[in-house]
Every structure is written in structure tokens, then in C-alpha cells.
Amino acid sequence: MFDALTELYTEGDLDKLRAFILHSSSWRQHDFTSYGNAQIEKQWLQSIALLGFKPLAEKQVVQGKGHSAIYFELANNDSENNRIGFFFEHNGEHIKRVNAIVDTTSLSANLPDADPLLISQFDHQLHPQSAHAEPSDLITLPEQYRDVVDQWWHIWQANQMASFGTLYDQQAVVKIAGLPESSGIEQIRNFRIKLSNQLNRSYCQLQHIIFDEQNNSFASTWCIDGDFIDNGEIKRIRIPLMSFVSLSDDGVITSERIQVDWLALQKRFALNASIV
Amino acid sequence: MQKTQSAITQTYWQPLEKLLNPSTTKQQKLAGFDEEFVDLVDYIIRITHRIWEQKNVGLCYRYYSDICPVYTLGGYSECVEQVVQNTLKTISAFPDRSLIGENVIWRENDDDVYYSSHLITSIMTNTGQSEFGPATNKTGRVTTIADCVCFENKIIKEWLVRDNSFLVKQLGLDPIDVAIGLAKLTPHPTFTKWLNEEFTRVLEVEHREEAVLDQNNWSPESFVDAWVQTIFNQKQFSKLANFYSLAAAQQWPGGRQATGVAQISGTLIQWLAQCPDAKMTVDHLAVVPFDDETTDIAVRWSIAGHYNPASSRLAQLKGQEFFVLGASHLRVRDNKIIQETTVFDELALFANLIRQSGAEIATTAEGLTNV
């Protein structure tokens, strides 16, 4: 299944991937959801035109129960690799729902119109009357990693910047969509600070998380809602994100990859200014 | 007697070829149904495919009774002839419409009557004149829930809800503009009578009565009753976490997507503020297991109250009688909703409000509201 996903891009192997797709499967990419074979295959062909036939440069698989995730990079000779993240629901035989996030920053892409989205205003404060999801609320985490994963989420949900210093290896590999690969926490900490300052009344919501005990890694999909001041105009936006995190045996984060489709975000909310 | 879901067709992981060629033996009595159908889900999936995707519109004569009331928030039809005509018109306007059966939640009565709640995702391109106006030549997606009463191989009654506001946004149309056009249509007299009677019935619900959700004596029925009474009738939003898992995914009409309690509270508060005196009734419930850990619940419901416009374009409609026919599919695990798909026709809601008020509201092309 993982090979079928990568080989769509490296070889254009539609048959292999088609065998996993149902009449009722859906595939979300660039904030647009395709349903059924005909629409999904059209999206594949557009993706191949945009990204395809490049060798695989890197791959990370996160196996969960019912959901799995894969992050991979396609090699580019003259620029940054193309980064793609998939989070998908499957039963081992078929793929039901795919959420794909492509780092489109370096691409000049004619993206599809996003699905209509109506964001309702809500109380974003972490006040005690509300219930806010943490990783350990959603899945059973291995005991030795539970606190680390919950504290990782605390960085995003509660702006707990000090955890960058305690959770991460000082040489951790960090790859954030739209930014070059870096080593250490500086880039990811700056990214967090910038997001906090760019978005007023922001709120982070965990959507799915899976933990792979074989590989000491986890993957999650989540989103940030916030008010973004776009050339003087306040726009309520929602940023979908995907995180791939690897841990050492003693529970230190050794790598983190964050996928965001910045071009799709700009198109959906007609943004003029850049967020990062 | 309700059969366990494990014996009945399960659509979620099934390839279309298997759904259209079931290999199991008959699993339900299905008195008076064609022998080929193995269970009610199979019946619903295959007749939908034949009528809509294979374009055998005339099969409606075989699978609908001559008199078959079909209730929607946008109108009423009474007999199979109208079902045939409406199907043909829709297929003409959207000729490549696919109907992807996402789920069928069902109930079997002792009197050989079956009830189905069919959640459908359609992909379709608007190449012809439709109820929304001239062809846009754009492709859109829409969610529909069709609740049907089935007896002896025929659908004898139906409630149909479709997320039309989500669809027209993808077609590049303004939902209020489309509603203004729909409001000019003269409704069937039975529709007006039904709407008035339903409005009165729902407004009379006892909304102050406390609903106790007893986790030790939990049942899908008591859960839905408490969900409706606590959230929709009493507006106790701090209790949302009693009903929704912390990462529950919620889809509501018009592109309202929410995950988790905070976002869900936003969707419900903002929407209910349009009808702050809303009263809600549960009009039908069906429950089937989805797998060993989760249960699927289909709820058909009604909401009545008075309109408090969120859009300044509809300010003239303040205080109008507000009525919604809706349906929700809830997937429940550990006694909480993990996924909700709620469908109603927001365009029809606006059209009914505009028509009843008699107000002249300008389309975006015509400029600001005429007073």
C-alpha cells in the first residue's frame, strides 16, 4: 500500500494504486476532496504532471491501527526536494480516505478550487469549561512515551515554548513546509513563535494521531484556526497541518517534519500576504 | 426482529462490484421483495445504482408505489409519476451524476415494513438548466440523506434532504440568490399544509424538561434524546463533551466542518443563533452496529422557531416562521459521537422564509435589498 502511493509519483503506476481504491474512497489534496475513481484518478494525473517521475529521496512510514501515514520526498536536482505527506484510513485491503498534504511552496501549480468551508466563530480560549483533545485522549500511547507526546502537543495547543528545550535532541532534523531543512530547534521554535504572532485568537485542534511502536514514531493531522491580518483585512482562516515525529529509545524527539500546503491555503482564503 | 449488522450488507469497505453482485444468501425475510435481494441494504444500493447511475429512470415504476409521498424542505411530490419526472430532470441537468452509497442505516418492523436511511455522496457536473438556474458547467459534490419506508419491493414514503447550499457554492452561485429564485415557485398545496402542521407540532415540544444521560444505563435511544434535549432544546453547550468525543468530526450544511468540542460548539451556537427559540423533535431513529466497537445511528429530526437573520441581506425576514427538516448520521464509540454528518437544505430554508414573508429581496446582481 505504501509502495503503491510512492510509485504513483515515481513511476506513474496507476494500476497498482487503483487496486486499493473503492467506489466510495475519497482523496483530499490541496483542500479539495475527490470522490470515486474518476475524480481521484484525475487528481492523480494532475499530481503526476506537477510532481511525478522523480526518484524517491526519503521515506518515513508510520503504521497505525486502521490509519497509517507516509512522508516522502521526491529528489530535485536543482532545488529543494518535493515533500508529500499522506494520512489515510485503510483496512489493509482497501484505502477509504486519504488526506494528502503537498508542500507546494516551490511549485507553480494550478490548484483546484478548494471545498467550500464555512468556519464558525467559537471561543478559542483554553478555559476550564471546555474540553481540548490531547494525544493521550485519542489513542493509547506506550507508557514511556505518553508524557512526551502530550507535551509535544502542548507546544502547539498551549504555546509551551520551553518544551523545545526539553523534548528535542539538539541536533534534531527539522523539515517545515516552505522552509529549508535544518538541524536543531531554532527553526521550529521560530516557526511556532511566528504562527502565534501572525494569528490572533488562534486555536489548535488535534484531528488524528497514530503511534508506531515498531519505529518509535507518530504522525498526526491537526489544524490551526485563527484571525490573520491580510493587508489590513481580518480573515478567519484554518490551516491544515500534518506532523511526522520520530523519537529515540529514551523518548527524545530526533526528527520532525511538518507539512502544510501553503499555496492551497493562499488560494482558499484569497490571501495576499504570506504567513511564514 | 433486528438482525445483527454482521449478517447484513456493509457498504463501508465493499468494492462496487461486490455490492452489485452479492454472494451471500438471503439474510432478511423481505416479504414481497424480488428474490434477488439478500437484505434491505442490498435492495437500496442496487435500485439506486440502477435508477440513477444506469439511468433506468423507468425502474421507479417498479420500485416506488403509485402513491408515494416524498417530503423535502423544498417541495412535495405525491406519486411515482412525479418521482420519474423529477429524476429525469435532475439527470438531464447533471448527466454524469454518480451516487456513492456511503452508508445505509436501517430498521425492520414486525409488520414486514422496513425503514432505510441512505447517506449518499454525489459528484455531478451541471451542464443543463436546473432548479438553480442556467447551466454552470461546473462539477460539484453534494451529500444527501434519503429516508425511505419500504414495503413489498417498493418505496412507499420518503423524506429527502440534500446539502444544496454546499453544492451551489461549488457551482459558483450565491446561495441567497438561488433561494430568491426558488422562492418564486408556487408550492404544492400539500406542501404548504405539511409545513404549517409540522411547524406547529414541533413548536409544542416540551423543551425545558431535563434529559438525564445515564452512562450506566446507556442506549442509543436515550443518548439521542439527551443530545437533542440538552444541546438543541436547552442550549447547554458546556455539556457537548458528554456527547462528542474530543476529536469528533462534524459535517454540517454549507461547508461547515468542525473537529473537536470547541469547533463543534461554534458551529452549533452560530447556527442556532439564527433561530434562538428553536425547538427540536426526533422524528425517526434507526440504529445498527458498524463494527465491534462502534454503532451507527440515523436520526431524522425537525426544528421550528423564529428566524433571526445572520445575513444583513435577509434582515427583512426577522421573526419569520423557521422550519427545518433534517437528518443526521452519527457514528458512536464509547458512548460518544466520533463522526456526525448532518444534512438539510439551507436553500429551501431561505426560499421558504422569503416566500412566506413576501419580501422583495434583490439578488447580488440587482444590488442592495429593496425595502
Side-chain angles (χ1 to χ4, degrees):
Chain A
M1 204 171 272
F2 296 107
D3 288 346
L5 283 165
T6 55
E7 286 169 17
L8 174 71
Y9 298 91
T10 56
E11 296 172 24
D13 193 340
L14 270 72
D15 274 351
K16 194 178 229 176
L17 189 51
R18 191 184 285 128
F20 292 106
I21 298 297
L22 296 163
H23 184 56
S24 58
S25 295
S26 67
W27 185 290
R28 189 166 74 218
Q29 187 172 324
H30 310 306
D31 296 333
F32 168 74
T33 310
S34 302
Y35 262 84
N37 297 75
Q39 249 195 336
I40 289 174
E41 288 187 19
K42 187 183 172 201
Q43 187 147 44
W44 290 350
L45 293 170
Q46 288 170 338
S47 292
I48 289 171
L50 188 66
L51 297 160
F53 307 119
K54 293 172 189 160
L56 202 60
E58 188 185 327
K59 182 169 84 168
Q60 181 185 358
V61 167
V62 182
Q63 289 267 22
K65 184 188 166 194
H67 288 83
S68 292
I70 179 170
Y71 168 92
F72 60 87
E73 296 182 13
L74 299 173
N76 259 342
N77 290 334
D78 48 0
S79 60
E80 286 278 328
N81 291 344
N82 298 127
R83 303 166 182 170
I84 309 170
F86 287 96
F87 200 101
F88 56 102
E89 181 185 3
H90 66 92
N91 65 353
E93 193 177 350
H94 295 292
I95 296 173
K96 185 73 177 181
R97 277 188 278 207
V98 176
N99 181 6
I101 298 187
V102 181
D103 178 4
T104 45
T105 320
S106 59
L107 303 168
S108 84
N110 184 19
L111 303 182
D113 290 339
D115 297 336
L117 176 66
L118 202 167
I119 302 175
S120 298
Q121 292 286 346
F122 61 89
D123 189 345
H124 66 285
Q125 301 170 94
L126 299 176
H127 54 71
Q129 293 95 320
S130 299
H132 310 281
E134 294 191 351
S136 57
D137 293 323
L138 306 191
I139 55 168
T140 304
L141 290 161
E143 190 58 36
Q144 69 270 33
Y145 297 123
R146 194 174 69 181
D147 286 348
V148 176
V149 180
D150 279 347
Q151 285 170 32
W152 165 83
W153 178 242
H154 213 52
I155 290 173
W156 301 100
Q157 190 180 59
N159 299 309
Q160 177 48 6
M161 303 290 172
S163 293
F164 282 116
T166 56
L167 297 183
Y168 286 74
D169 185 297
Q170 293 310 301
Q171 300 303 315
V173 173
V174 172
K175 294 187 180 184
I176 299 171
L179 300 172
E181 178 180 342
S182 72
S183 174
I185 62 168
E186 191 175 338
Q187 189 189 71
I188 194 168
R189 188 166 59 190
N190 289 342
F191 176 69
R192 180 70 195 101
I193 292 167
K194 193 160 190 182
L195 273 182
S196 301
N197 290 329
Q198 290 272 40
L199 298 172
N200 294 325
R201 302 193 310 122
S202 67
Y203 183 84
C204 294
Q205 172 66 47
L206 206 52
Q207 294 166 325
H208 291 283
I209 184 162
I210 50 177
F211 194 97
D212 186 335
E213 293 192 48
Q214 297 277 325
N215 296 305
N216 284 357
S217 59
F218 64 92
S220 73
T221 61
W222 52 288
C223 65
I224 307 178
D225 281 21
D227 292 342
F228 179 61
I229 301 175
D230 186 34
N231 288 352
E233 182 187 353
I234 298 174
K235 292 178 177 172
R236 188 74 177 164
I237 64 170
R238 177 171 295 167
I239 309 175
L241 299 100
M242 201 177 280
S243 294
F244 294 80
V245 180
S246 298
L247 300 159
S248 65
D249 287 341
D250 52 357
V252 176
I253 294 174
T254 55
S255 74
E256 179 158 4
R257 292 159 174 85
I258 299 177
Q259 284 294 98
V260 184
D261 190 336
W262 293 115
L263 271 189
L265 185 82
Q266 278 189 303
K267 180 171 182 181
R268 167 174 257 178
F269 296 102
L271 302 181
N272 299 301
S274 169
I275 292 176
V276 293
Chain B
M1 181 69 78
Q2 185 100 337
K3 271 235 178 202
T4 57
Q5 181 71 15
S6 59
I8 305 296
T9 303
Q10 170 64 268
T11 61
Y12 198 77
W13 291 112
Q14 290 297 317
L16 185 62
E17 310 81 65
K18 282 194 178 175
L19 287 171
L20 299 180
N21 300 285
S23 54
T24 58
T25 54
K26 201 166 186 173
Q27 298 296 318
Q28 285 175 309
K29 186 177 164 193
L30 294 178
F33 285 70
D34 290 343
E35 273 305 306
E36 64 172 318
F37 297 119
V38 298
D39 54 46
L40 186 75
V41 177
D42 172 36
Y43 168 80
I44 291 293
I45 292 290
R46 280 204 278 170
I47 72 166
T48 304
H49 176 75
R50 288 169 184 171
I51 293 169
W52 284 95
E53 294 192 321
Q54 295 189 320
K55 324 289 187 221
N56 289 314
V57 179
L59 282 178
C60 292
Y61 294 117
R62 184 175 184 86
Y63 298 125
Y64 279 81
S65 62
D66 282 356
I67 299 299
C68 177
V70 178
Y71 297 94
T72 74
L73 196 56
Y76 169 81
S77 77
E78 195 157 69
C79 62
V80 67
E81 294 297 345
Q82 286 166 295
V83 173
V84 169
Q85 291 166 24
N86 290 339
T87 305
L88 188 61
K89 283 190 277 189
T90 306
I91 287 177
S92 166
F94 299 91
D96 60 352
R97 183 179 184 188
S98 61
L99 277 87
I100 298 166
E102 301 267 14
N103 203 1
V104 180
I105 302 175
W106 52 275
R107 189 168 59 80
E108 182 177 357
N109 289 354
D110 291 336
D111 55 0
D112 293 333
V113 172
Y114 295 82
Y115 191 100
S116 68
S117 183
H118 188 188
L119 176 67
I120 302 160
T121 296
S122 288
I123 308 297
M124 50 201 203
T125 308
N126 176 211
T127 61
Q129 178 79 24
S130 76
E131 58 187 318
F132 309 128
T136 61
N137 294 306
K138 292 190 174 177
T139 302
R141 179 173 96 241
V142 69
T143 308
T144 302
I145 295 179
D147 276 21
C148 295
V149 180
C150 310
F151 179 65
E152 294 185 342
N153 212 43
K154 291 182 190 298
I155 293 168
I156 60 172
K157 201 171 191 180
E158 182 171 352
W159 293 263
L160 190 63
V161 292
R162 202 166 79 172
D163 184 1
N164 280 329
S165 61
F166 185 71
L167 175 63
V168 302
K169 287 177 184 178
Q170 294 163 83
L171 302 183
L173 305 173
D174 177 81
I176 295 176
D177 285 353
V178 176
I180 290 167
L182 294 172
K184 291 173 182 158
L185 303 175
T186 305
H188 192 292
T190 305
F191 173 76
T192 308
K193 181 171 178 287
W194 169 78
L195 198 62
N196 291 335
E197 288 174 355
E198 285 293 274
F199 178 80
T200 305
R201 174 183 70 84
V202 177
L203 263 197
E204 287 173 354
V205 71
E206 175 48 71
H207 67 289
R208 291 192 183 185
E209 198 171 297
E210 191 86 19
V212 178
L213 184 61
D214 181 358
Q215 295 292 356
N216 296 320
N217 198 18
W218 192 94
S219 70
E221 293 78 9
S222 65
F223 176 77
V224 169
D225 281 344
W227 175 65
V228 166
Q229 192 69 353
T230 307
I231 306 302
F232 294 89
N233 284 333
Q234 299 191 339
K235 284 87 177 168
Q236 297 193 60
F237 301 108
S238 73
K239 294 190 176 176
L240 277 168
N242 296 345
F243 297 95
Y244 289 90
S245 109
L246 296 182
Q250 183 195 54
Q251 175 187 318
W252 265 54
R256 294 170 177 89
Q257 295 282 347
T259 304
V261 173
Q263 290 181 10
I264 288 170
S265 74
T267 298
L268 296 177
I269 288 170
Q270 297 298 331
W271 191 81
L272 281 167
Q274 292 183 86
C275 182
D277 62 340
K279 309 287 186 298
M280 186 176 190
T281 57
V282 175
D283 302 331
H284 188 268
L285 199 66
V287 181
V288 294
F290 174 65
D291 59 24
D292 292 343
E293 298 172 341
T294 53
T295 301
D296 282 347
I297 305 174
V299 190
R300 180 163 51 79
W301 49 263
S302 303
I303 278 181
H306 295 87
Y307 187 41
N308 177 48
S311 164
S312 57
R313 288 180 69 195
L314 301 179
Q316 296 175 73
L317 308 183
K318 188 174 175 65
Q320 286 293 312
E321 292 183 354
F322 180 105
F323 178 80
V324 175
L325 166 69
S328 301
H329 275 206
L330 311 175
R331 182 154 292 161
V332 174
R333 180 180 295 156
D334 296 331
N335 299 351
K336 290 187 181 178
I337 297 165
I338 57 169
Q339 191 175 314
E340 173 189 348
T341 303
T342 285
V343 182
F344 53 85
D345 184 351
E346 243 183 344
L347 298 185
L349 168 65
F350 290 144
N352 293 340
L353 288 162
I354 294 166
R355 187 187 303 114
Q356 287 164 4
S357 73
E360 290 287 326
I361 295 173
T363 63
T364 46
E366 293 165 342
L368 296 173
T369 305
N370 299 324
V371 180

